[in-house]
Amino acid sequence: MSVATLPEIMDPAFRERYGVAAFNAVDDITMDGLIKAAEQARSPLIIQISVKTVKFWGAEVIKDMFMNMAGRVSVPVTLHLDHCPDPEVAKSCLKVGWKSVLFDGSALNYGENLKITREIVQFAKQYGASVEGEVVPVRGVEDGVGSDSVSDLLPVQMELDFIRDTGIYCLAPAIGTAHGFYKAAPVILYDRMQYLVETTKMPMVVHGGTGLTDEVFKRLISLGAAKLNISTALKKTFADGFSNYLAAHPTEYDPLKLIGAVRNDVVKMVLPIFKLFGSEGRA
Ligand SMILES: [Zn+2]
């Protein structure tokens, strides 16, 4: 059985300074492609799911599909709920057996975020599950901003207080990365990352991984980033996979060949990422 918890995957990565990729699966094709790639690379894997995807399929369907697929391979794989601003949705996933959630209260004021995150941590504990927390929102490039400007950041002390007062397992710190495609090279706050890790000894999470350079990834991993989120690149691979196959075979009408090609594109996209992050061969 290779279904693992988030700490079972992130603790060794943090200790040995390699990174584990967290890809946003949207369906069975992406989930199966990710798991097959992890098995091929002997890499641990984090499969994360957006709230939109939970609402589309249902928390139980996703969890059952995950347990079945991940239970067939010997590398450790975990299922994580990405950016969830709604405590009820997070609880509904934990209740049916998800082992990890990001409660994202970064849009709330600090006090409210602290209060609800602490509640979710307590709730998750009953199920042996872990919580990722976020204090400063990770921006979307679609807002027209390539990175967080330093002047907007909350003092790092607030992130430290938040970690101490909530009991979260890991943090998505504000280090200048952003969601979506980058229009300009982001300014990465390595010092902030280093200070947070040295002070808390806690594994950190990098959001907005699509489009960061190999050097940026490697440096962040060496500083203590143990989970690195890749969503946009997988969405592109998925959509392009369908268009490319259909353009090349417009009248074939063979769904299994079509989805097989897309699944194969997913495998091909993620294998080099395991290598880059140093997680290849670790499982
Ligand atoms: Zn994110």
Side-chain angles (χ1 to χ4, degrees):
M1 196 62 169
S2 70
V3 173
T5 63
L6 194 63
E8 281 167 352
I9 288 181
M10 283 177 74
D11 284 353
F14 181 64
R15 202 170 49 233
E16 292 162 43
R17 291 294 193 264
Y18 60 90
V20 180
F23 296 101
N24 288 63
V26 293
D27 66 351
D28 48 351
I29 303 173
T30 41
M31 193 181 283
D32 195 43
L34 294 169
I35 291 173
K36 279 191 162 54
E39 191 181 27
Q40 205 174 309
R42 303 305 308 166
S43 170
L45 169 70
I46 299 163
I47 290 188
Q48 56 185 22
I49 305 285
S50 72
V51 170
K52 265 197 265 180
T53 308
V54 171
K55 289 185 172 160
F56 188 92
W57 293 107
E60 277 182 280
V61 169
I62 292 171
K63 188 249 173 181
D64 288 351
M65 185 163 75
F66 168 80
M67 294 298 281
N68 195 308
M69 287 182 177
R72 288 165 192 274
V73 294
S74 54
V75 294
V77 191
T78 197
L79 180 67
H80 170 83
L81 177 64
D82 197 15
H83 290 285
C84 181
D86 182 343
E88 292 315 310
V89 173
K91 286 179 182 173
S92 72
C93 288
L94 291 165
K95 272 184 199 159
V96 300
W98 294 46
K99 290 286 180 242
S100 173
V101 299
L102 162 51
F103 176 70
D104 181 357
S106 61
L108 305 170
N109 69 48
Y110 180 85
E112 274 293 292
N113 185 8
L114 181 76
K115 179 170 158 279
I116 302 174
T117 303
R118 197 191 278 151
E119 260 173 48
I120 298 287
V121 169
Q122 291 310 315
F123 190 87
K125 253 188 204 157
Q126 309 168 56
Y127 299 92
S130 314
V131 178
E132 178 182 337
E134 182 167 329
V135 191
V136 186
V138 177
R139 296 217 177 142
V141 184
E142 63 273 17
D143 302 334
V145 182
S147 65
D148 285 317
S149 81
V150 181
S151 58
D152 289 350
L153 285 179
L154 288 171
V156 71
Q157 189 57 44
M158 284 183 96
E159 284 185 313
L160 293 173
D161 292 347
F162 187 81
I163 290 167
R164 188 196 56 216
D165 295 341
T166 54
I168 52 172
Y169 166 69
C170 60
L171 178 77
I175 50 152
T177 56
H179 295 128
F181 289 109
Y182 291 98
K183 285 179 190 144
V187 178
I188 308 291
L189 308 177
Y190 297 104
D191 291 352
R192 190 170 174 118
M193 174 67 105
Q194 187 170 5
Y195 181 72
L196 281 165
V197 172
E198 279 172 2
T199 314
T200 64
K201 314 281 184 246
M202 173 183 274
M204 295 290 152
V205 180
V206 171
H207 286 247
T210 299
L212 297 181
T213 64
D214 293 3
E215 286 63 39
V216 170
F217 278 128
K218 282 184 180 163
R219 196 163 160 196
L220 288 171
I221 291 166
S222 75
L223 292 174
K227 171 176 180 274
L228 301 102
N229 296 355
I230 313 266
S231 173
T232 306
L234 181 60
K235 284 183 196 162
K236 183 175 186 318
T237 296
F238 184 73
D240 288 351
F242 281 98
S243 339
N244 293 341
Y245 192 86
L246 289 170
H249 310 86
T251 57
E252 189 180 70
Y253 308 121
D254 186 332
L256 294 177
K257 279 192 182 166
L258 170 63
I259 63 177
V262 174
R263 184 176 64 182
N264 198 36
D265 287 348
V266 171
V267 173
K268 275 193 286 189
M269 180 211 127
V270 306
L271 286 175
I273 296 175
F274 295 138
K275 198 182 196 70
L276 174 67
F277 291 180
S279 67
E280 188 187 64
R282 301 276 185 168

